[in-house]
């Protein structure tokens, strides 16, 4: 008997999530200097961690022999103050991915349905399948979530409905008014989960806190991996109704968020200068990338997040070509988008290198006419 015969069905149905290759490995494979490899594949912050977060993280290392605060008191207070909610309405996680998994533990099982966009962030589907629930994938409209179609896909069996705005990998965001209308229209057996991983990059982020306060079943996810530059520490959070948060608290590991991450996240929340710099640089970098890519002849999509979706012809071939030049982007076959790559907005220098490499790729014969 094989191990697979013993495994849960959800595990066997699970596609393997393939993260981009690390810089050191790409450098080694292509004979490059690691410092010259630009990783524009995972929507990380090209400006590094916030300096205040780094200092706080280093200081926290001095107590690394002590378990972290399992309840995350200081962190929850800091997040609650920033979000304008009670600390009891906040649950920190080992990345916001962990919070998605906690939702699975609490609400998903065979026979239950989860509504999501067909090109939505893939972890919704992975977690749904892991718990043996059914992913109901709703076609998207011009790469944005089609909220009326998603509402129509809700059945008696639906427990969760995910919308990422802006969505990864498509970049499209939904209007605040239509998100609010959906929150108000969903039946009470459905939890509307709004993933705000890239909300900080929007000019005005949708705000569902009024719907939350009015008792609608709305739960929001945020992360420190993007604008706060702490992807390597794995820290994110969810906020919503205190009853829901209390349920999720029951299913998490006792010390799910490490002490260095907690300290760094608290400091990052207070680093307004860094935050504003990242927003400005991202907006400027987006303009450079979009106009540069368009000038070479590539169509670009997406709104205000820290990445650009680009139609390049053969996404995998483009990815390999760029990788050989020390630039890592994300091919999107796994999202059923083989003609596209997703490019994280980098530093000014990285953006220029990317454009030069795309100029070379534009002459490549694999590109469609
Ligand atoms: C839409 C979306 N949600 C959640 C996440 C997960 O972020 P974290 O690093 O907090 O797990 C990502 C990461 O890329 C994302 O794009």
């Amino acid at each position: 008997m094989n191990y697979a015969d013993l495994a849960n069905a959800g595990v066997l149905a699970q596609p393997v999530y393939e993260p981009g290759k690390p810089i050191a490995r790409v450098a080694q494979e292509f004979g490059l200097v690691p410092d010259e490899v630009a990783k524009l594949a995972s929507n990380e912050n090209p400006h590094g961690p916030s300096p205040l977060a780094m200092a706080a993280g280093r200081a926290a290392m001095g107590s690394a022999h002590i378990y972290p605060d399992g309840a995350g008191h200081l962190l929850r207070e800091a997040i609650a103050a920033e979000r304008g909610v009670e600390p009891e309405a906040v649950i920190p996680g080992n990345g916001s991915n962990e919070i998605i998994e906690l939702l699975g533990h609490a609400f998903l099982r065979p026979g239950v349905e989860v509504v999501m966009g067909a090109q939505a962030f893939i972890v919704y589907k992975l977690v749904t399948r892991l718990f043996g629930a059914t992913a109901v994938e709703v076609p998207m409209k011009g790469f944005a979530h089609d909220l009326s179609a998603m509402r129509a896909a809700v059945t008696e069996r639906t427990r969760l409905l995910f919308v990422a705005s802006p969505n990864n990998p498509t970049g499209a965001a939904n209007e605040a008014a239509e998100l609010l209308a959906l929150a108000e229209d969903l039946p009470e057996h459905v939890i509307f989960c709004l993933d705000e991983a890239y909300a900080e990059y929007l000019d005005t982020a949708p705000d569902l806190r009024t719907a939350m306060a009015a008792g609608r079943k709305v739960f929001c996810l945020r992360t420190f991996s993007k604008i706060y530059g702490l992807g390597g520490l794995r820290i994110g959070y969810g906020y919503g109704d205190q009853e829901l948060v209390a349920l999720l608290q029951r299913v998490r590991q006792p010390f799910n968020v490490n002490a260095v991450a907690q300290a760094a996240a608290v400091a990052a929340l207070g680093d307004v200068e860094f935050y504003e710099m990242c927003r400005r640089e991202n907006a400027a970098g987006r303009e450079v990338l979009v106009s540069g890519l368009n000038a070479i002849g590539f169509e670009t999509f997406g709104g205000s997040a820290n990445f650009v979706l680009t139609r390049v012809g053969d996404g995998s071939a483009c990815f390999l070509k760029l990788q050989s030049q020390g630039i890592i982007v994300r091919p999107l076959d796994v999202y059923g988008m083989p003609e596209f790559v997703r490019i994280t907005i980098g530093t000014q220098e990285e953006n220029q290198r990317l454009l030069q490499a795309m100029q070379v790729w534009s002459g490549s014969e694999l590109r469609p006419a």
Side-chain angles (χ1 to χ4, degrees), residues 95-97 121 124 164 168 195 197-198 223 225-226 234-235:
S96 52
N97 275 344
F121 180 49
Y124 313 145
N168 170 21
D195 188 337
Y198 303 96
T223 181
S225 301
K226 309 300 173 187
R234 308 304 301 122
I235 180 159

Side-chain angles (χ1 to χ4, degrees), residues 154-168:
V154 167
T155 71
E156 275 307 305
R157 293 177 296 280
T158 310
R159 289 294 170 273
L160 296 172
L161 179 149
F162 282 101
V163 174
S165 184
N167 180 47
N168 170 21

